[in-house]
């Protein structure tokens, strides 16, 4: 039997070693474990938070009522701490088809506005009128719950001595108008229209007039506010309902 030459055996062993090293190098991952995207796709939307960030020991969450809109329910959850809103998120919002795009654009803006304003007195997002209205209503109900759960104490928005009063529903030629007022320290700190004329031209008039009337009421601290041009009946009903709410608060 022919024996292998020692030199030949050494050459073959060296070649095998080199091949093994090349094979191991070819199996090394091209990137680190952190370079791949997380499973499940994009991360969920982050709720708006105050600049301090995070929740402190005294923070609590309050969820408002689910408000039905033409395109689906809207429900807001707040984080409140130290008598103010420190975080806001929509736990329900219109979804499906065009509503997905509107919700994705509008809700983050509404969340930030709620935290910045510290109340439900926030502007509607252009192109998301129904979602904005539902958001404000659910937001206000969350604030009301926060105040009630502390006996009108240290909840968000409403503070010590705060009361939320609803005025009379006032009939107008285009529909009823009803206002809810938050009063604290002897002054108006928030106003919300619960009922306003809707449908056709009335809907457009309402969307234009009500935010102006709300800002005017807070600024004036009374029902002595000017009518909005083009919304004479809505303005008159608003002032009357506002005054009835203030009368319940003792003027």
């Amino acid at each position: 039997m022919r024996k292998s030459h020692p030199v030949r055996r050494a050459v073959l062993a060296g070649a095998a070693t080199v091949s093994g090293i090349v094979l191991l190098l070819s199996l090394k991952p091209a990137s680190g474990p952190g370079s791949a995207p997380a499973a499940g796709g994009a991360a969920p939307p982050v709720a708006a938070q105050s600049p301090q960030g995070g929740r402190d020991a005294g923070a609590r969450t309050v969820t408002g009522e689910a408000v039905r809109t033409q395109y689906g329910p809207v429900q807001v959850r707040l984080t409140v701490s130290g008598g103010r809103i420190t975080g806001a998120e929509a736990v329900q919002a219109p979804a499906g088809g065009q509503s997905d795009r509107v919700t994705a654009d509008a809700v983050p803006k509404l969340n930030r506005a709620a935290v910045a304003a510290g109340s439900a007195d926030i502007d509607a997002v252009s192109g998301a009128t129904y979602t904005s209205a539902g958001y404000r209503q659910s937001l206000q109900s969350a604030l009301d719950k926060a105040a009630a759960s502390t006996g009108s104490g240290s909840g968000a928005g409403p503070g010590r001595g705060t009361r939320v009063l609803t005025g009379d529903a006032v009939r107008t030629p285009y529909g009823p108008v009803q206002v809810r007022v938050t009063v604290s320290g002897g002054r108006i700190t928030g106003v919300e229209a619960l009922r306003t004329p809707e449908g056709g031209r009335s809907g457009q008039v309402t969307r234009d007039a009500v935010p102006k009337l709300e800002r005017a009421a807070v600024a004036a601290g009374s029902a002595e506010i000017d009518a909005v041009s083009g919304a004479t009946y809505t303005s008159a009903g608003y002032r009357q309902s506002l005054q009835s709410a203030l009368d319940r608060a003792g003027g």
Side-chain angles (χ1 to χ4, degrees):
M1 183 175 181
R2 185 178 180 182
K3 296 183 179 180
S4 299
H5 196 279
V7 174
R8 183 179 179 184
R9 287 199 304 272
V11 171
L12 291 174
T17 301
V18 171
S19 298
I21 292 173
V22 171
L23 179 61
L24 288 174
L25 290 175
S26 68
L27 295 175
K28 184 180 179 181
S31 58
S35 64
V46 178
Q49 299 287 339
S50 67
Q52 285 80 358
R55 294 180 183 172
D56 58 40
R60 59 200 177 97
T61 58
V62 185
T63 302
E65 297 172 357
V67 178
R68 294 184 180 277
T69 76
Q70 182 172 331
Y71 298 102
V74 179
Q75 187 173 30
V76 178
R77 180 166 57 204
L78 300 178
T79 301
V80 298
S81 178
R84 64 190 183 86
I85 300 173
T86 58
E89 63 180 319
V91 294
Q92 289 194 73
Q98 179 71 7
S99 293
D100 286 336
R101 186 190 65 78
V102 173
T103 292
D105 175 67
V107 167
K109 295 177 182 177
L110 293 166
N111 289 340
R112 291 192 293 269
V115 173
S119 73
D121 186 20
I122 58 178
D123 292 333
V125 174
S126 177
T129 305
Y130 292 103
T131 296
S132 299
Y135 187 101
R136 284 192 303 237
Q137 190 173 337
S138 182
L139 171 58
Q140 184 62 57
S141 71
L143 292 172
D144 293 346
K145 288 180 182 179
S149 66
T150 56
S152 293
S154 59
R160 190 171 301 281
T162 295
R163 287 182 293 166
V164 179
L165 304 113
T166 301
D168 296 334
V170 179
R171 293 185 180 276
T172 77
Y174 299 102
V177 178
Q178 188 173 30
V179 176
R180 179 164 59 192
V181 182
T182 301
V183 180
S184 179
R187 65 188 183 87
I188 298 174
T189 57
V191 188
E192 178 189 12
L194 301 179
R195 300 173 71 183
T196 54
E198 296 180 356
R201 174 67 178 161
S202 294
Q204 180 58 48
V205 171
T206 292
R207 288 191 292 272
D208 176 66
V210 168
K212 295 176 182 177
L213 292 166
E214 289 174 346
R215 290 192 292 269
V218 173
S222 73
E224 295 297 323
I225 57 177
D226 293 333
V228 174
S229 178
T232 305
Y233 290 107
T234 297
S235 298
Y238 188 98
R239 285 192 303 238
Q240 188 175 336
S241 183
L242 173 58
Q243 185 61 60
S244 69
L246 293 176
D247 290 345
R248 291 188 176 101

